[in-house]
């Protein structure tokens, strides 16, 4: 019974709840713990006195349930772990744009997402741009900055394949030299809060694992298929980066020894044959030179069999390439970024067909392959999860 809890047990419970949920008001702690409000107040007072919790004027905001309690006096003030980071600025860089959002460690967005075309600034200019965008969307302070970058990235070292140059289909000649090191230190110094850089696909995978289709699963392989091919692995809630930051980067599995040059320095990588450019090259002779990816999705939705077959082939090609990796990892699920929208279904069909053809029957049957959420949404949640983890 809650009323029989010893004071020490109630204090321990409050610490557990604040650790799990982030900042919480006394009313929220009362609701979550089932401990009487008076006992919660007493335990909170003792924890504040001993410096095990701290308090400020910001309301707590626990996820997945309505706010409780009124705004009377100290009841509306949030209790948090001392030194715990509060909110984060998550910056998502693609080859097209830079998007920024102020998020809580509970995954909630505290601001609209703002974006603009990405240019290859210097690192200092990037910091200035982050400050400008952040100021344009929120007035609340953030305690850290998480930057998602669209390439394999090794903390403390920079872009893994930088020395190989960049394929021309990205429309740039080379990554800027400041990416040959980890810009986190410069960004931290310029922004005045801790900054860290992570592979964008890893952030998206982490988002799916923490709050998306792979929530509560032991392990997941996350794939982006359609426009590009990329992947990431999350095991027990943690990104598997590997020794060089390329774990899960299935786009660099060699499938055609005589194929095109790739950013990794190799030839005929999966990413060079299973991408949007390749899809359009195959389909344009039949559907016209103006065909774009949007048209491909529309034709697939309309039931155009040729288009659906080509998308199924794409899934099958990827499935064949990653089957060995799937057996090694034995993930509970494969989550596929639905960049192709409703046309993701034939891609999943092809992927599953390859899996069932190449893997032991019971392993293939146990594997769940599902579409996830939009990559940007997943990556924002992943940034939030990464920020939340920094507190422990
Ligand atoms: Zn490659």
């Amino acid at each position: 019974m809650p009323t029989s809890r010893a004071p020490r047990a109630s204090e321990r419970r409050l610490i557990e709840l604040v650790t799990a949920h982030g900042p919480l008001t006394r009313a929220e702690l009362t609701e979550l713990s089932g401990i009487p409000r008076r006992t919660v107040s007493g335990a909170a007072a003792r924890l504040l006195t001993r410096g095990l919790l701290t308090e400020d004027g910001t309301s707590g905001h626990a996820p997945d349930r309505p706010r409780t309690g009124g705004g009377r006096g100290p009841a509306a003030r949030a209790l948090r772990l001392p030194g715990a980071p509060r909110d984060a600025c998550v910056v998502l860089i693609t080859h097209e744009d830079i998007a920024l959002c102020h998020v809580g460690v509970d995954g909630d967005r505290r601001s609209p997402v703002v974006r603009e075309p990405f240019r290859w600034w210097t690192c200092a200019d990037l910091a200035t741009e982050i400050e400008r965008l952040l100021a344009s969307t929120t007035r609340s302070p953030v305690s850290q900055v998480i930057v998602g970058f669209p390439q394999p990235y090794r903390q403390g070292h920079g872009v893994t394949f930088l020395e190989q140059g960049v394929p021309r289909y990205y429309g740039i000649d080379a990554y800027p030299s400041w990416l040959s090191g980890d810009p986190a230190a410069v960004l931290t110094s310029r922004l005045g809060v801790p900054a860290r850089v992570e592979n964008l696909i890893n952030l998206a995978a982490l988002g799916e694992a923490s709050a998306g289709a792979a929530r509560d699963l032991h392990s997941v392989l996350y794939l982006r298929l359609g426009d590009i091919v990329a992947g990431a692995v999350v095991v027990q809630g943690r990104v598997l980066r590997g020794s060089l930051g390329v774990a899960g980067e299935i786009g660099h599995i060699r499938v055609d020894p005589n194929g095109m040059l790739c950013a990794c320095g190799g030839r005929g990588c999966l990413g060079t044959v299973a991408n949007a450019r390749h899809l359009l090259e195959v389909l344009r002779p039949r559907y016209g030179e103006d065909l774009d990816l949007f048209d491909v999705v529309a034709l697939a939705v309309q039931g155009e069999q040729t288009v659906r077959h080509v998308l199924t082939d794409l899934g099958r090609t990827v499935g064949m390439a990653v089957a060995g990796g799937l057996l090694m990892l034995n993930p509970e699920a494969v989550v596929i970024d639905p960049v192709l929208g409703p046309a993701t279904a034939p891609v999943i069909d092809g992927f599953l067909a390859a899996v069932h053809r190449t893997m032991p029957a019971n392993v293939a049957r146990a594997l769940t392959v599902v579409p996830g959420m939009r990559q940007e949404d997943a990556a924002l949640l992943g940034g939030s999860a990464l920020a939340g983890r920094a507190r422990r």
Side-chain angles (χ1 to χ4, degrees):
M1 273 176 63
T3 50
S4 67
R5 287 172 188 266
R8 194 168 292 278
S10 59
E11 290 169 25
R12 194 161 50 236
R13 184 65 183 135
L14 299 199
I15 294 284
E16 287 171 359
L17 288 170
V18 173
T19 301
H21 295 276
L24 293 170
T25 64
R26 288 167 178 78
E28 289 167 337
L29 285 165
T30 301
E31 181 193 352
L32 284 171
S33 65
I35 300 171
R37 186 180 183 116
R38 185 184 295 264
T39 309
V40 166
S41 293
R46 288 189 296 276
L47 290 167
L48 287 167
T49 301
R50 288 154 57 198
L52 295 174
L53 284 181
T54 186
E55 180 177 40
D56 64 21
T58 307
S59 291
H61 194 81
D64 303 324
R65 59 198 167 75
R67 296 292 313 280
T68 57
R72 289 183 295 120
R77 294 159 72 90
L79 299 168
R80 65 179 79 247
L81 297 178
R86 298 166 193 178
D87 294 351
C89 166
V90 179
V91 182
L92 305 177
I93 295 173
T94 68
H95 287 97
E96 286 80 40
D97 63 18
I98 174 171
L100 179 149
C101 187
H102 175 184
V103 300
V105 292
D106 51 13
D108 280 0
R109 296 182 190 181
R110 310 277 199 246
S111 79
V113 176
V114 287
R115 73 182 74 247
E116 70 168 53
F118 182 65
R119 297 188 298 277
W120 291 101
W121 297 285
T122 65
C123 189
D125 288 344
L126 175 63
T128 303
E129 196 59 24
I130 290 171
E131 279 183 315
R132 190 183 68 76
L133 283 172
L134 188 61
S136 77
T137 194
T138 183
R139 294 185 177 185
S140 303
V142 297
S143 65
Q144 53 188 316
V145 173
I146 308 286
V147 179
F149 192 79
Q151 276 290 311
Y153 203 86
R154 187 180 172 202
Q155 263 84 22
H157 290 80
V159 171
T160 307
F161 297 136
L162 182 87
E163 67 277 12
Q164 308 294 346
V166 185
R168 290 298 177 124
Y169 47 78
Y170 284 141
I172 52 176
D173 290 332
Y175 286 120
S177 58
W178 54 265
L179 279 170
S180 61
D182 189 342
V186 176
L187 291 174
T188 296
S189 166
R190 290 270 179 166
L191 297 170
V193 292
R196 64 184 299 184
V197 181
E198 177 61 89
N199 187 348
L200 181 63
I201 198 92
N202 285 351
L203 284 184
L206 192 56
E208 291 288 357
S210 62
R215 185 175 188 167
D216 299 328
L217 297 186
H218 171 273
S219 47
V220 59
L221 172 64
Y222 177 84
L223 300 178
R224 182 173 177 115
L225 309 176
D227 53 349
I228 60 167
V229 180
V233 179
V234 176
V235 178
Q236 292 185 305
R238 297 200 172 265
V239 172
L240 186 68
R241 297 191 179 89
S243 63
L244 297 176
V246 297
E249 284 291 341
I250 62 159
H252 297 291
I253 296 173
R254 201 76 49 86
V255 295
D256 178 6
N258 301 312
M260 285 179 61
L261 291 173
C262 178
C264 70
R267 290 183 67 180
C269 292
L270 185 61
T272 67
V273 299
N275 57 22
R277 183 182 41 76
H278 183 76
L279 269 180
L280 297 176
E281 276 176 10
V282 170
L283 292 169
R284 276 177 177 161
R286 178 163 185 152
Y287 297 97
E289 290 305 308
D290 293 338
L291 187 83
D292 60 19
L293 209 53
F294 182 82
D295 300 325
V296 172
V297 173
L299 287 166
V301 171
Q302 290 160 18
E304 182 68 24
Q305 283 306 308
T306 303
V307 173
R308 292 183 73 88
H309 284 154
V310 171
L311 290 169
T312 304
D313 287 344
L314 169 75
R316 188 180 292 116
T317 300
V318 174
M320 295 292 284
V322 305
L326 280 175
L327 202 53
M328 268 206 305
L329 290 168
N330 190 204
E332 269 189 271
V334 175
V335 176
I336 297 186
D337 172 352
V339 65
L340 293 176
T344 305
V347 177
I348 291 180
D349 289 346
F351 186 88
L352 278 170
V355 164
H356 282 276
R357 206 174 125 195
T358 52
M359 293 178 71
N362 58 337
V363 179
R365 272 199 305 271
L367 184 68
T368 302
V369 182
V370 290
M373 64 187 96
R374 283 193 328 130
Q375 185 185 54
E376 182 172 292
D377 295 335
L380 287 175
L381 286 170
S384 164
L386 204 62
R389 193 159 298 148
R391 65 186 154 171
R392 289 193 280 273

